[in-house]
Amino acid sequence: MAEAAAATFEEWIERIFAHDVEHINRRFYEDRSSWSDVASPPVTIEYMTRLFEDSLDVLAPFSDNQLKWGMQYIATQMPGKDAYLRLNYLTQSRIIQSFFALFEQLFMTRCWHDPFDYVSGQRQELNVVCWRWWGLVPIRPNAANSIERVIDEQFLDVIAHILGLKSDTCRESALCGLGMWTAEYSDQVHVVIDTFLAEHPTLQPELRILAAKAYRGFILTEKERDNLVERIEQVFKDTVYPGDDNLTNADHCGECAEISEAFRGKQWSELHDVKFLRYHESALSLFKPAAFHYYLPAFIRGALLDPESADIILSGLEFHLTPQSDFNSDWSTFFQTYGNEWNSFETSEQKEQLKRALDTIAANPPEQLRYFFERVSGYTPLQKQVIHDYLLVDWDSWMIDLKREAERNRGLAFWEVFTG
């Protein structure tokens, strides 16, 4: 990192943020190779503290893109926990508390206020760093070490206070951070999340979904997996085979014919060979709606039991169970308005009215969503709930591709409403 021992505070800021973003990767590489030899973590921590405590004013001259790259650089290159352990308690406490000030000032002000708005194009560059912050910084919890636990508890308290800010962008980041600390501090994290949910009953669906993921540490336990598989087998057991001639448009292409032949006469409940499903994963795209409806549980079950062999089935299921982002204005308005208001509806009559509105759209969807609704319509409430709960599973922790996370959140929000 551009260490403070080699620069004044102002030079340090300039070195990190005043970049032509088109050449920023090369500049940072040069920075690491030429400045790291004069590393002075205590002074760097002092400069970080000064920056975080006054970030809105100090960073006012820089563009959102410069802030994105600069803050990402600071997060990934800042001193690790061992450097904090060598500080006196007051200095240690001050730098940790300054993380809250960073969120309260910079992220809360300069980020786009709705972290789940992937439609309007207003989501700022800095949102990405805010969202990923606790996965970028080299601070990892270790409850087994009594010395490190003093630092851990301070950071946990800061993350809890960030969750209390009136900013969904900061709340999203805090929940991601809490999820990373659940394995080491489950009792404390559970109290924080339970309190947050109790005090905020009308959150966006995506935040409640994220809170549920963070609560279990973004991990699906073996017991939870087996329970979900059992539910899949139960709720889909009476699904009717669509017929040999209703699997694909076999005359359309060779692959359609191959898939039709491969699945002909096969009961979904008998398809336990995940490698077979992986080989024919394109069936998710080529099945006719009735066949997609019938064989979907086989693909979901296979993904749960053997995700490594399932491979791209995981992303395929997310894609096909998610309304895509090229909504027309009517659908976009419905999704953003009613999806966000769902949890604020207090009576069953209000929720039934919303479900009827969604059913109306499903019966006559916009052209670009017709393919999607043909496939997801016709499921029973229990089947819809299982699909929703499957999409709640995180396979590779929350630190995944931003676009894929956006699709996942959109799919979950849709099924949150669609299941009723």
Side-chain angles (χ1 to χ4, degrees), residues 18-74:
H19 289 292
D20 174 357
V21 294
E22 293 182 2
H23 304 100
I24 201 161
N25 286 330
R26 177 180 60 80
R27 183 74 178 275
F28 280 164
Y29 175 78
E30 293 173 351
D31 184 67
R32 283 194 294 271
S33 62
S34 62
W35 288 53
S36 59
D37 291 340
V38 292
S40 178
V43 183
T44 299
I45 287 176
E46 177 191 341
Y47 283 8
M48 283 171 49
T49 305
R50 288 178 59 183
L51 169 62
F52 291 0
E53 289 178 341
D54 195 23
S55 57
L56 196 59
D57 287 339
V58 171
L59 299 178
F62 303 107
S63 70
D64 290 336
N65 211 6
Q66 288 175 316
L67 292 184
K68 169 193 170 182
W69 287 104
M71 292 309 302
Q72 180 170 293
Y73 179 61
I74 286 178

Side-chain angles (χ1 to χ4, degrees), residues 63-99:
S63 70
D64 290 336
N65 211 6
Q66 288 175 316
L67 292 184
K68 169 193 170 182
W69 287 104
M71 292 309 302
Q72 180 170 293
Y73 179 61
I74 286 178
T76 57
Q77 301 299 317
M78 70 172 58
K81 191 188 285 185
D82 58 331
Y84 291 76
L85 294 172
R86 294 193 292 269
L87 301 171
N88 65 61
Y89 180 78
L90 290 178
T91 303
Q92 180 189 99
S93 178
R94 183 183 170 195
I95 175 60
I96 294 174
Q97 291 300 318
S98 74
F99 278 67

Side-chain angles (χ1 to χ4, degrees), residues 247-248 254-264 266 271 273-287 291-292 295-296 298-299 309-314 316-317 320 375:
L247 301 179
T248 69
E255 190 173 13
C256 292
E258 178 184 347
I259 289 172
S260 183
E261 184 62 30
F263 285 86
R264 188 183 306 277
K266 288 185 171 63
L271 294 177
D273 185 351
V274 180
K275 292 182 179 179
F276 168 85
L277 297 172
R278 167 62 182 86
Y279 182 79
H280 295 292
E281 59 82 24
S282 60
L284 290 170
S285 299
L286 300 177
F287 275 145
F292 179 88
Y295 287 109
L296 178 65
F299 283 89
S309 295
D311 190 30
I312 60 174
I313 288 175
L314 306 182
L317 286 169
H320 289 289
R375 289 164 165 256

